[in-house]
Amino acid sequence: MKTKLIALLAFLTAIIILSACVQESKQVDSGDVPEGFVLVKGGYFTNVNSNLYGKDEKVEDFYIGTHLVTQREWAEVMGSNPSEFIGDDNRPVEMINWYDAIEFLNRKSELENLEPFYAIDKENADPNNFGQEDDIRWTVTINPGANGYRLPTEIEWEYAASGGQLSENYLFSGSDDPDEVAWHFRNSGDAYLTEFWYYSIILANNCRTRPVGQKLPNELGLYDMSGNVREWCWDWHGEGVSPAGGEGRVIRGGGWLGQEDVCAVNYRNFLEGHYRFNDMGLRLVRNR
């Protein structure tokens, strides 16, 4: 009887270990993952709250930063800090436009002896830029095979924010409660606001960015994807997925200044690329 019991326990232990390995294999790879990144295993959208759930949109493997780019990281590369909310270098960098982000990514790649992902033509205006106010209009093209840093595509961002293949179908990135995973206008100040959104109330409450990584991560171990600062993506905003041109660049995720609904993983927005705001930042991505 004792022998049979030991054998049964050994069998059950093996089943548990095998099940854990299968679950882990959906996300973890034996290859080297760059420091500060996670490997997002590709596939189709599984989060029922995603805009692309049930659609024939497959994502390939990629690496994404666990945290927003901080003011310290930005200053180490660019030599200055453009942010409004200073005093803690672990706060996300903000007050950057889309073009600033592109230059930062290329410069960081070069400093680390990686091949820059972007080619920047500052002399010729981008014919695909249909924005009415953008006075920069650089033509930026990509080198798809480069190993340098880049912005996420909108699809990659939503896939990662939704939990990828480990998704538990949360409305926000890692929870159904935005307070657990996001800094937004209600909880980013000195007191928790219960009033309707009013800018004067937000200012009086000293609402602001917060150091990265203080809220709970999502299923993939990613922090602040639902709130703190909004994040620039690569794509033009327009009809359909990844249009060839548009009136502005996609931004995703909520921010300290926004309402809870904009923190949802399926919320979409855009801005013309020249705009700088104190709730706009970025997150690093690299090709697999």
Side-chain angles (χ1 to χ4, degrees):
M1 175 65 72
K2 184 176 180 180
T3 301
K4 291 182 177 180
L5 180 59
I6 293 174
L8 178 60
L9 290 174
F11 175 76
L12 292 175
T13 300
I15 291 296
I16 292 172
I17 293 174
L18 178 61
S19 175
C21 290
V22 169
Q23 177 71 7
E24 185 179 14
S25 69
K26 292 181 179 179
Q27 175 59 31
V28 179
D29 187 87
S30 59
D32 293 331
V33 177
E35 183 178 358
F37 287 76
V38 297
L39 170 62
V40 180
K41 296 291 287 184
Y44 295 96
F45 282 74
T46 63
N47 189 322
V48 298
N49 294 298
S50 169
N51 294 303
L52 296 170
Y53 174 73
K55 298 182 180 179
D56 189 24
E57 192 66 50
K58 186 177 181 180
V59 180
E60 301 300 326
D61 295 357
F62 63 98
Y63 298 113
I64 190 169
T66 56
H67 297 87
L68 296 160
V69 172
T70 65
Q71 295 177 25
R72 176 185 294 109
E73 292 168 330
W74 184 276
E76 287 174 348
V77 173
M78 304 299 284
S80 61
N81 180 8
S83 304
E84 178 174 322
F85 296 107
I86 59 175
D88 187 331
D89 289 343
N90 285 319
R91 284 180 173 172
V93 69
E94 20 89 4
M95 291 300 293
I96 60 168
N97 64 31
W98 187 86
Y99 302 100
D100 297 331
I102 294 296
E103 283 205 301
F104 165 81
L105 294 162
N106 268 12
R107 192 172 301 183
K108 181 174 175 62
S109 298
E110 292 166 352
L111 289 173
E112 298 181 17
N113 296 315
L114 301 173
E115 184 180 4
F117 191 81
Y118 299 111
I120 304 172
D121 179 356
K122 298 184 180 182
E123 302 300 322
N124 297 295
D126 191 338
N128 296 313
N129 187 339
F130 307 133
Q132 299 299 307
E133 300 179 13
D134 190 344
D135 58 355
I136 300 177
R137 311 177 87 85
W138 298 342
T139 298
V140 180
T141 54
I142 66 172
N143 178 5
N147 62 353
Y149 297 103
R150 63 179 177 85
L151 293 173
T153 65
E154 181 179 14
I155 294 173
E156 288 173 331
W157 189 96
E158 185 166 326
Y159 183 78
S162 299
Q165 294 301 298
L166 301 183
S167 176
E168 297 184 21
N169 294 316
Y170 293 128
L171 180 60
F172 305 98
S173 186
S175 177
D176 286 325
D177 180 356
D179 289 335
E180 292 185 340
V181 294
W183 296 109
H184 48 84
F185 92 97
R186 294 194 186 279
N187 66 6
S188 64
D190 295 337
Y192 192 92
L193 296 176
T194 57
E195 300 94 332
F196 289 112
W197 191 100
Y198 285 109
Y199 189 58
S200 59
I201 293 176
I202 292 170
L203 289 181
N205 194 43
N206 194 30
C207 295
R208 59 203 183 275
T209 61
R210 297 302 185 99
V212 301
Q214 292 189 336
K215 293 290 187 178
L216 294 177
N218 77 351
E219 301 93 319
L220 299 177
L222 305 177
Y223 294 85
D224 295 319
M225 292 204 77
S226 271
N228 206 347
V229 293
R230 298 179 290 170
E231 303 178 34
W232 286 110
C233 293
W234 162 254
D235 305 77
W236 291 108
H237 180 270
E239 294 297 325
V241 176
S242 301
E247 54 190 311
R249 297 287 181 169
V250 169
I251 53 176
R252 296 301 301 263
W256 67 270
L257 184 58
Q259 301 183 77
E260 301 100 314
D261 61 330
V262 306
C263 296
V265 296
N266 58 11
Y267 186 86
R268 304 181 68 226
N269 206 342
F270 76 100
L271 282 172
E272 291 192 40
H274 70 294
Y275 278 113
R276 295 183 177 96
F277 291 111
N278 58 9
D279 67 337
M280 289 296 308
L282 80 157
R283 187 180 303 263
L284 301 177
V285 167
R286 287 181 63 182
N287 287 340
R288 166 79 188 281

